[in-house]
Amino acid sequence: MTQAHLDPTRKHDFVFLIDATDSNPNGDPDNGGIPRTDPVTGQGLITDVAIKRKIRNTIALINRTENKPGYEIYVEAGVALNTQHERAYTPESGATNQSEARAWMCRNFFDVRMFGAVMSTGKKDKQAGRVQGPMQISFSRSIDPITPFDIGVTRVTPTKQEDIDAWHNPEEGKKGKETEMGSKHIVPYGLYRGAGHFSAPLAAKTGVTSEDLAAFWRAFTLMLDHDRAAARGALALRGLYVFTHDDAFGRAPAHTLLDRIHVKPLGDVSARSFTDYGTVEIRDTDLPAGITLTRIIG
């Protein structure tokens, strides 16, 4: 019997908790790469795009070893999107029209059938239309305001050879340098809460299977461990709670279920660890009829 949270014929709503310690969970490229914040409340933000990128990367990383058909990634660094959906029209793929191309894209690419895609670009006779994905993820927002830091760092060598040469040969009249300065943007601590939703009717249209859901939850639990970087050295998934309905369209409004996972705000920026927030409140003793809760993490 399929576990509830792995059943693609049911609706799922989930809550996740991610914390960042001395890290930058999601830099804003329009603001010098500093951690994203709500300018009114000071709360930190992580975009849905950032989470999906980590999931895509993890699925691709796993599939390099397992090499299972149907788990390629459509939105992949270094590969043009038009090139990806034009593959549906090759003799090996066999599509002769947009409907067949769309079906091939869903079968071949995990992120197309899970997240959806707009493939109506490029040559008109090589397009694959639009797919509405069944799995959607919200922005994550920190429980309390965050205090981003801009920390200066020194590199022991400059980028250009001419800067080194000029430093050692000042008589040539050129201004050189021996080191270079840089900066890192971090959050001392932030606990972020996000949510996601899975539509069974849309999943039936894209062909999502129980194996796909298992791969999604596995990637979600592993994504931060395989996305380490100098500015993302201490990100952790602290909770992943999945509410599953016993039918495709749902037994209760999503927000009433998500509100059952609650972290009490401290009301200031003093938090420096997950334990500062105490116990996560999980109200699961009086779930509505037809609803089950799976605690994957937490």
Side-chain angles (χ1 to χ4, degrees), residues 104-123:
W104 185 87
M105 294 296 291
C106 286
R107 290 194 305 272
N108 198 60
F109 293 99
F110 173 85
D111 54 338
V112 172
R113 66 178 177 272
M114 190 65 78
F115 299 140
V118 177
M119 300 172 290
S120 53
T121 58
K123 301 175 183 178

Side-chain angles (χ1 to χ4, degrees), residues 1-23:
M1 183 176 179
T2 301
Q3 296 180 64
H5 68 294
L6 301 180
D7 190 344
T9 68
R10 301 185 184 190
K11 184 177 187 291
H12 306 283
D13 301 292
F14 61 96
V15 173
F16 58 91
L17 300 173
I18 293 174
D19 72 354
T21 305
D22 296 331
S23 299

Side-chain angles (χ1 to χ4, degrees), residues 5-86:
H5 68 294
L6 301 180
D7 190 344
T9 68
R10 301 185 184 190
K11 184 177 187 291
H12 306 283
D13 301 292
F14 61 96
V15 173
F16 58 91
L17 300 173
I18 293 174
D19 72 354
T21 305
D22 296 331
S23 299
N24 186 349
N26 189 201
D28 184 353
D30 289 330
N31 200 12
I34 69 171
R36 297 178 189 270
T37 57
D38 181 326
V40 175
T41 66
Q43 290 169 290
L45 300 172
I46 301 175
T47 67
D48 61 318
V49 174
I51 298 295
K52 289 179 181 178
R53 180 71 270 156
K54 297 179 196 305
I55 293 171
R56 285 184 170 102
N57 289 347
T58 306
I59 291 290
L61 190 65
I62 292 171
N63 206 44
R64 288 193 189 102
T65 300
E66 299 183 353
N67 197 27
K68 294 189 296 186
Y71 284 83
E72 288 192 55
I73 296 299
Y74 172 62
V75 183
E76 188 172 14
V79 182
L81 297 181
N82 287 350
T83 300
Q84 294 280 56
H85 53 72
E86 286 174 4

